[in-house]
C-alpha cells in the first residue's frame, strides 16, 4: 500500500488555484478535475478549519476547572447535607445547570458516614 496524500500535501500554487477557482463559482468536483487531484483532497482542504470543538472521550465538554472541583469537594466535605445549588453558590458557581451540578457531585463521590464498630470482647474484659 502506498502513502495516501491529503490536503496537507497540496502545494502553495495548488492552494491558491483552489481558492481562485472556488471564487469563480466552481464546486469541489470541478476544481479537483482541473487540478487532477482527488475530490476528497479538495474537500478536506476546505473543511480543514471547520472542525470546531471536538467531543472528548468521556462524552461531555469540560465546564469546570480542577480548581473549581477542589473547591466544591472542600465545601461538600464540610457541609454534606446541603443542596447542590447552595454548594455551588458557595464555590462561586451560580450559573451552573442542575444536571451539571448533579453529574459533578455524582463524580466526586458520595459522603460516607463512619461505620460504628462496637468495642471488641477483649477490650470490654480489660475495662471491666
Amino acid at each position: 500500500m502506498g502513502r495516501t496524500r491529503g490536503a496537507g500535501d497540496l502545494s502553495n500554487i495548488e492552494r491558491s488555484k483552489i481558492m481562485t477557482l472556488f471564487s469563480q463559482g466552481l464546486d469541489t468536483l470541478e476544481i479537483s478535475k482541473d487540478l487532477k487531484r482527488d475530490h476528497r483532497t479538495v474537500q478536506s482542504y476546505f473543511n480543514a478549519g471547520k472542525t470546531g470543538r471536538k467531543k472528548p472521550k468521556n462524552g461531555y465538554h469540560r465546564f469546570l476547572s480542577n480548581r473549581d472541583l477542589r473547591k466544591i469537594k472542600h465545601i461538600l466535605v464540610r457541609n454534606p447535607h446541603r443542596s447542590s445549588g447552595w454548594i455551588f453558590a458557595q464555590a462561586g458557581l451560580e450559573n451552573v445547570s442542575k444536571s451539571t451540578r448533579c453529574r459533578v457531585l455524582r463524580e466526586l463521590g458520595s459522603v460516607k458516614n463512619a461505620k460504628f464498630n462496637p468495642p471488641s470482647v477483649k477490650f470490654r474484659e480489660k475495662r471491666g
Side-chain angles (χ1 to χ4, degrees):
M1 291 184 136
R3 181 177 169 266
T4 59
R5 295 177 61 163
D9 294 332
L10 290 170
S11 66
N12 290 336
I13 296 168
E14 288 175 323
R15 291 172 200 249
S16 62
K17 260 189 184 178
I18 288 173
M19 293 310 292
T20 55
L21 293 172
F22 185 73
S23 64
Q24 292 173 2
L26 297 174
D27 63 347
T28 56
L29 193 59
E30 294 167 339
I31 294 170
S32 64
K33 286 179 183 176
D34 188 35
L35 293 175
K36 297 179 183 169
R37 287 291 200 129
D38 188 53
H39 69 281
R40 289 173 290 205
T41 304
V42 178
Q43 283 177 341
S44 64
Y45 173 70
F46 281 119
N47 294 332
K50 297 179 185 176
T51 54
R53 285 176 62 179
K54 291 187 177 179
K55 197 171 187 181
K57 290 181 182 177
N58 57 0
Y60 63 90
H61 297 292
R62 193 68 187 260
F63 181 73
L64 301 171
S65 66
N66 287 334
R67 183 184 179 96
D68 292 336
L69 293 175
R70 284 194 309 269
K71 214 185 293 185
I72 291 167
K73 191 167 187 175
H74 180 77
I75 294 168
L76 182 64
V77 167
R78 299 200 184 280
N79 304 293
H81 301 293
R82 290 292 191 136
S83 68
S84 64
W86 187 88
I87 291 169
F88 276 71
Q90 290 298 311
L93 304 165
E94 291 89 10
N95 297 327
V96 179
S97 69
K98 186 173 183 179
S99 60
T100 303
R101 292 192 314 245
C102 292
R103 178 180 43 80
V104 168
L105 292 176
R106 211 175 306 122
E107 286 175 1
L108 288 177
S110 60
V111 176
K112 296 179 181 174
N113 293 332
K115 290 183 180 178
F116 174 72
N117 292 329
S120 66
V121 176
K122 292 178 183 177
F123 180 75
R124 275 188 267 155
E125 289 172 357
K126 287 181 183 177
R127 281 181 61 192

